[in-house]
Amino acid sequence: MPIEELKQQTIEYTQQLNSLYKTLASTIQQQPENQELIKLVEELNQCCHRVEKHTKELLVSAGVMNQTAEQQFERDLQQVMEKW
């Protein structure tokens, strides 16, 4: 998939998620006893935690997270050398 399409999808989904959060936050303030609403907020929370966990795992497995500056330099140098 082209990077521009991925960027656009990321922006759109992030905006939708932020909008959903704001709606849920506003609604739960008005209806704190609504059990269905509480369940939706809990499900959203669990989903966000899974996304965060899997995103971190992806970055680590791709070798771009938790690297020292020297490791990053070596990785970048290796990529340049592979292109030549």
Side-chain angles (χ1 to χ4, degrees):
M1 181 177 290
I3 191 70
E4 289 305 317
E5 188 174 334
L6 290 170
K7 286 180 184 178
Q8 187 60 38
Q9 283 186 2
T10 301
I11 290 167
E12 289 174 16
Y13 293 145
T14 301
Q15 290 171 342
Q16 289 177 1
L17 187 58
N18 286 332
S19 177
L20 174 61
Y21 170 79
K22 288 177 185 177
T23 300
L24 288 171
S26 173
T27 307
I28 204 165
Q29 293 296 325
Q30 298 167 5
Q31 303 174 34
E33 71 287 340
N34 186 325
Q35 292 301 310
E36 287 181 281
L37 185 58
I38 292 168
K39 184 161 177 60
L40 289 174
V41 172
E42 288 171 345
E43 287 175 11
L44 178 62
N45 186 45
Q46 290 173 358
C47 178
C48 289
H49 283 295
R50 281 192 304 272
V51 168
E52 179 183 22
K53 179 183 177 226
H54 293 306
T55 302
K56 285 180 181 177
E57 289 171 356
L58 176 61
L59 291 171
V60 169
S61 71
V64 295
M65 188 171 178
N66 298 328
Q67 292 185 340
T68 65
E70 183 177 324
Q71 289 171 321
Q72 289 174 350
F73 174 77
E74 288 178 16
R75 191 187 99 233
D76 293 345
L77 180 60
Q78 170 114 17
Q79 289 175 348
V80 168
M81 297 301 286
E82 288 173 1
K83 289 181 181 180
W84 288 93

